Amino acid sequence: IDEGLAPASHSTIHGVHNMRLCVVLLLAGAAAALRLLPQTQRPLGTIVFIRHGHTAWDENQFIGWADPDISQRGATQATSAALALKESGFTFDVVYTSLLKRAVHTTWLVLRELEQVHLEVWKDWRLNERSYGALTGQSIEDMVGLYGAETVASWRRSFDARPPPHEPYQPHNPIADAKYLRWEDRDGRTSRVLPPDSESLGDVARRVRPLWKQCIMRDVLDGKTVLVVAHGNTIRTLMQAIDNVPDAAASLLEVPQCIPLVYRFVLAHGKLIPEPCEGRKSAVDCAAIAEGGGVFDKADADAMISAEFLADEAELAQAQLRVRDASLARYGLAGGDESQLLEAVLCAGAALPGLECNVGADVADLEGAVRALRMAALEEEAGACWAAGADLYFNSISWGWDEPGDAAPAEAAPGEPAAEGSAAEAEAATAEAEAGPNASAGQSASAAPRDEPRRSYAVAAAAAAARAAYRQRRQRVIIIRHGKTHHNKLGLFTGWEDAKLAPEGRAEAIAAGRMLARHGVAVDVVYTSWLSRAIETAWLVLAQLDAISVPIHKSWRLNERMYGALTGLSKKKTKAQYGEKQFKLWRRGFDTRPPPVDSFSRYYPGNDVRYVRHVHDCPISIRESLVRSITSGKLVLHRKLPRTESLKDCMDRTVPYWSDTIEKGIDSGKSVLVASSENAIRGLLMHLLDIPKERIAEIEIPTGLPLMYDNVNRRVYLLEGDVDSYNFGKGGAELLFGCIPPDEHDPSGSPPRRTGRAASKPHAAGRRAPPPLQPVRRPGELRVQ
């Protein structure tokens, strides 16, 4: 009605309004009638657990909170897990994972294979693997030789035993890792995480259970299907919480890599419990074994679990056997009657020789050897430039505060105590850090070298120095158009069609990430659309920056402009059929809409399950609700998703998202990456740079090129290359960068001149200036981002 209404009399318009009112009353009456019908219980949600794929580290190393990525074998495992989920018809509503690369990368691969990359992924440190403390990065053989097989085995099998804590200068100590300095939770609150020195399995359970009760359980009660991609020990403790597995049996639960584990639930007396399965051992039986002093075996532990593995029996048995054999061999428990007896003793919770050292007693006899190993690793890897925590340790002593012209740490960011970054604290912390390794390295192994206050202060010094460096970073706002797609190569109208990146597009995204890395650019948060080409571009950029743990916020409001009935058509054919003038109006006009797509076309987003199921922030469409209710024979409330859009329509959704959401991240001092599509970016730049609508058609946005936006001076600039090296359209150089192109009739061929227009724009009121600038480092120098 709205689209076909021509100028008419007052009575005609009045009749249309009455018709609208009748439709609204009809739908409201139907909804009220449905509420009077007997209410059925809303179905509960489902949880799928996936342990990350195989990592690039040796299987005989303690990994814990160290951050290696998955290997090629792990990537293949992740794809296989996704195929198993696809075969079972799983569609997810929410995804949880840890902050560690191996889990995040596995999540990416699973979602890409399932074609559900638009889902919000919540990255929570509480899903991190168990912290192995001073064992992190060390080989099993070395630790068994140092501590003994029984002691090392106790750290795995005992629920409460902790390995020795991290040393202050250990390369894999996460205390100053940048991703824990400003962690963003699900509600958008930013806080600093203090990584544990060392953890028992019980410690892992205590940090995981609040996440289960406050977030994951709530999603299940809301009927959502939840995907959790995490680690062996965190999944083990979640299984323990769901199935009420006793502590003594928790360590016997084996979680094979990348075999989906499915929990379904029922409500019993108002309590959420897992759906019972045949052969499951009851809680009463488990309690009887524990009270009688019995020992749980692997069969008992397996019988306590209500979950279903998405694998056939032979494959599952083989996978579990591999995991268990590798685990037993790793801890010196493989083969022989003695190892079986030792395992039984450990499972019973009996004390072992050396076990008292693991729960906080003095370890003076071992400390000298441990420190020697730490220092050897330090010397071996001191020449490497590590991406996260190690950088912070090796540079916390000499971050340039003694160099001419370098400033002391900046003032505290909003929400942080000012004393943390004070110059006096940083100076004292640096002096203490310098004395730490030298003082401790020369101590005798026989003279109890552990000085806990000194050690704590040294760790605090490194953390304080890391926070000071973080606050001194230069804030950046990066806007990037996705890499080239197959549709771009073929010259097709893409719009909301979910075209994949071409190999050239992936190469462009990787090159963009490397360019940002060369210039020391860091990213704290990402905003992107629901289209896979933009999401994958963001992934590839973050991978080059070693920042895949940062939060990625996805919104359909950053989608490309909806091209309506032109979607999927050839641009050349459309121009030949309708003429160049009409083609330009549809393609580059500001307020001209292409013909709308049919409501039942596959290109209409209202027929895409992603938008039908997950869009909740746009109004109900009376027209579409009426049509679909009549067609289906039942009441269907349908969202008002676009059937066609002009650039103005596109800006009506992108600009408010920028103002209400993205600017909040910028104003809080975060470095922001916005990955989107051409028309969404054109509209944002038109808003940010005050480009007149009469000239917006002159602007093109190259694929895969980072555009740096100065939010203080409101201008755009490039990190590398000249403006003339890229196709920004007829007026892009002038409108985006303030360059006046040379006169075509000027025989001298003088270079473009600056107008100064972009640099002279006033700073918007209320915007926060970025933190003080860091001196630019030469290539090859270590720089903390």
Side-chain angles (χ1 to χ4, degrees), residues 1 5 39 88 139 168 175 294 417 520 580 643 650:
I1 294 172
L5 187 62
Q39 297 295 310
S88 300
S139 69
I175 188 66
E580 185 171 357
R643 296 169 59 220
C650 183

Side-chain angles (χ1 to χ4, degrees), residues 501-559:
L501 284 182
E504 298 91 329
R506 285 191 285 273
E508 288 174 338
I510 292 171
R514 290 176 178 173
M515 179 193 299
L516 295 173
R518 281 196 300 273
H519 290 267
V521 175
V523 172
D524 300 316
V525 63
V526 177
Y527 299 94
T528 186
S529 69
W530 279 12
L531 300 175
S532 62
R533 56 189 183 270
I535 296 171
E536 192 169 351
T537 297
W539 287 353
L540 294 171
V541 169
L542 291 179
Q544 302 307 309
L545 297 175
D546 195 28
I548 67 175
S549 63
V550 304
I552 303 177
H553 299 293
K554 305 162 189 171
S555 173
W556 67 272
R557 295 184 178 276
L558 288 177
N559 276 15

